[in-house]
Amino acid sequence: MTLFDGVYPFYPQQRKVSVFDVSIIIVIVVFLTFACSFLLIIPGIRGRARLYWTLRVLLSLVVGVVIVAVNFTRDWETGWVKANTSYKSFSRALVNADIGLHVGLAGVNITLRGNPVNQINETINYNEHFAWSFNADYDHSYSEGLEKGLPNPILYVAEKFSMQSPCSVHGQYRIAGHYASAMLWVAFCTWLISNMLFSMPVLVYGGYMLLVTGAFMIFSLLSFSTVRNSLVCPIHFGTAVLRTGYGGSFWLTLAIGLLCFVTGITVVTLHYFNLNLLKTFFDLPEDKAEEYQEMTEVYINPHFMNQGLPPSQSPKLNPKSI
């Protein structure tokens, strides 16, 4: 880097804050396509079955889109702080800004937003992502940020999560995010299996797979929560301290996991106590073989029954007893 008017160079054009990740948009569009396709065929279903089908399909799509989308969200752990801080290297100018930290399973987002946005003849509105997934190099991203001349608050927070930082939180977040993501993908597979089982007359096993889906979602939360047991690395901006807490994706995953538990327990309970109601909800015809527990008429060939037996030992069969 070379100096320009005594400070490190910044972007030629102001960076814009990213609102949505492209991967999240793709996931939402795919599931919305499935939902719209189902809404086109729903008028062909008659009676109360239309309501049951709508409830089942939409509920299942909500579970699926949440399981996939939270793998790419960046608000599993979030925190904000308002502080007066330096903006550029080799400059004494201070800016009043809101600094945000957003931790996801694959990396961290650091937000810097001026209050007001326009200060010291510049527009202060940044949102930088630093990835730590196994196919990404966090320290390389951090070095690129130094070369670009990112604002000091962003570099200060990003340095806390680097491998050379004395905080030693990089490996913990990386491993916890990796295992949490793996658990969510397993939950997605069990969600697919549960939908296939619900499409066949084996509803109780679909309920069991929903319970497994909820269990793996809870396991992903436990995996991510392990980083909260480590020593907290303070992030100070003067007298202000940036503190973080669980974000929206964490609580959304917990809510959907509990929903899977409740739905699975309901299906299993109805299977053992009210099977007809369960079949009505899933629009399955009642098995006629289950309605007749005994045969009303039996035809017996007496030649084969009496063959090899003396007349006194010939069995007397009652059709109603078979």
Side-chain angles (χ1 to χ4, degrees):
M1 289 189 297
T2 59
L3 293 176
F4 180 75
D5 290 338
V7 297
Y8 283 104
F10 274 63
Y11 296 113
Q13 296 181 354
Q14 182 62 42
R15 295 289 297 272
K16 295 182 179 180
V17 176
S18 59
V19 180
F20 291 104
D21 186 78
V22 177
S23 301
I24 300 177
I25 296 177
I26 294 175
V27 171
I28 294 176
V29 169
V30 170
F31 278 88
L32 282 178
T33 302
F34 284 119
C36 293
S37 301
F38 171 75
L39 292 177
L40 292 177
I41 65 174
I42 195 64
I45 303 176
R46 299 179 180 179
R48 291 186 301 176
R50 178 186 303 175
L51 176 62
Y52 297 152
W53 271 95
T54 304
L55 182 60
R56 293 200 318 270
V57 172
L58 294 182
L59 183 62
S60 179
L61 288 177
V62 168
V63 173
V65 71
V66 169
I67 293 176
V68 178
V70 293
N71 280 278
F72 307 101
T73 54
R74 299 168 182 175
D75 61 342
W76 279 71
E77 186 177 346
T78 60
W80 285 92
V81 66
K82 180 181 293 185
N84 291 319
T85 179
S86 63
Y87 180 57
K88 297 180 179 180
S89 300
F90 304 100
S91 176
R92 295 182 179 180
L94 298 179
V95 296
N96 185 274
D98 295 325
I99 305 165
L101 176 62
H102 314 278
V103 181
L105 299 182
V108 59
N109 267 48
I110 305 172
T111 302
L112 178 66
R113 185 181 307 153
N115 190 19
V117 176
N118 295 314
Q119 298 182 49
I120 59 174
N121 297 324
E122 292 193 28
T123 301
I124 304 174
N125 196 1
Y126 293 85
N127 185 15
E128 296 295 327
H129 178 68
F130 300 90
W132 56 46
S133 57
F134 284 119
N135 58 349
D137 189 348
Y138 184 92
D139 288 348
H140 179 69
S141 300
Y142 177 70
S143 299
E144 288 183 344
L146 289 172
E147 294 176 1
K148 292 176 182 178
L150 291 178
N152 281 350
I154 294 180
L155 294 176
Y156 170 67
V157 177
E159 191 273 337
K160 295 289 185 179
F161 293 89
S162 64
M163 296 184 65
Q164 288 77 22
S165 173
C167 295
S168 302
V169 296
H170 175 83
Q172 298 176 16
Y173 274 97
R174 185 182 184 186
I175 297 298
H178 173 72
Y179 281 105
S181 179
M183 293 296 161
L184 288 172
W185 284 117
V186 175
F188 178 72
C189 294
T190 57
W191 171 78
L192 291 176
I193 296 174
S194 68
N195 281 276
M196 290 186 290
L197 294 174
F198 282 138
S199 64
M200 300 182 290
V202 283
L203 304 178
V204 65
Y205 297 108
Y208 289 144
M209 292 309 299
L210 270 183
L211 293 176
V212 175
T213 301
F216 276 105
M217 295 184 72
I218 299 300
F219 290 156
S220 69
L221 299 177
L222 295 177
S223 175
F224 185 80
S225 299
T226 56
V227 297
R228 304 290 295 181
N229 298 328
S230 59
L231 295 178
V232 178
C233 187
I235 303 176
H236 292 279
F237 293 93
T239 58
V241 180
L242 177 58
R243 304 184 187 278
T244 60
Y246 293 128
S249 294
F250 183 92
W251 299 115
L252 181 60
T253 304
L254 176 61
I256 297 300
L258 295 178
L259 177 63
C260 290
F261 271 120
V262 172
T263 306
I265 292 174
T266 302
V267 171
V268 174
T269 302
L270 289 178
H271 172 79
Y272 289 105
F273 294 97
N274 199 337
L275 183 58
N276 291 333
L277 178 60
L278 183 62
K279 289 185 176 182
T280 301
F281 182 77
F282 281 88
D283 195 25
L284 292 179
E286 294 184 0
D287 191 0
K288 298 300 181 182
E290 295 179 1
E291 297 180 2
Y292 300 99
Q293 299 297 330
E294 57 184 23
M295 301 174 63
T296 57
E297 188 174 2
V298 179
Y299 296 93
I300 301 175
N301 190 332
H303 173 73
F304 292 101
M305 294 298 299
N306 298 330
Q307 187 175 6
L309 296 175
S312 60
Q313 298 182 7
S314 298
K316 296 181 181 180
L317 298 178
N318 187 354
K320 294 184 179 181
S321 63
I322 299 178

